[in-house]
Amino acid sequence: MAKKVECGKFLVIEVSRNECIGWGGAAICDSCNDTAENGYYIAVLNSWFCPKCYEEWKKRAKWYQEDVNVERRNYAAYAKILGIE
């Protein structure tokens, strides 16, 4: 079941492969092109990452204030689809 994940200021949702496919996604990591049982929707990137790539992304990610509106809009759309408040 999808759930919000704490990741500093970033808005991230942990999402299963089946949930990703359910919204019309391919459940293929947008970084390495592999798949996994669970992955992470990163709203600021509008991307789904496998756990390995998500961990690597967290090490180098930098939050920018100017991305907030797009990030919030992306997050709200997928949170609604996945039933997350």
Side-chain angles (χ1 to χ4, degrees):
M1 183 167 174
K3 64 180 179 181
K4 184 176 180 181
V5 175
E6 292 301 320
C7 185
K9 293 183 179 181
F10 292 103
L11 298 174
V12 177
I13 303 171
E14 184 176 359
V15 185
S16 73
R17 177 183 359 205
N18 290 339
E19 288 168 317
C20 184
I21 291 169
W23 81 49
I28 296 172
C29 177
D30 288 318
S31 182
C32 72
N33 294 318
D34 203 356
T35 190
E37 285 296 315
N38 289 301
Y40 298 87
Y41 173 72
I42 304 167
V44 72
L45 301 178
N46 197 31
S47 293
W48 189 84
F49 279 17
C50 70
K52 179 182 174 197
C53 291
Y54 173 68
E55 292 301 323
E56 289 298 316
W57 171 80
K58 287 192 321 184
K59 293 176 188 173
R60 66 181 188 281
K62 184 172 179 182
W63 187 85
Y64 294 96
Q65 176 66 40
E66 56 267 27
D67 294 335
V68 168
N69 291 336
V70 171
E71 180 180 30
R72 287 181 182 164
R73 185 177 60 236
N74 290 344
Y75 180 86
Y78 284 94
K80 183 176 180 181
I81 290 168
L82 295 165
I84 298 171
E85 293 186 21

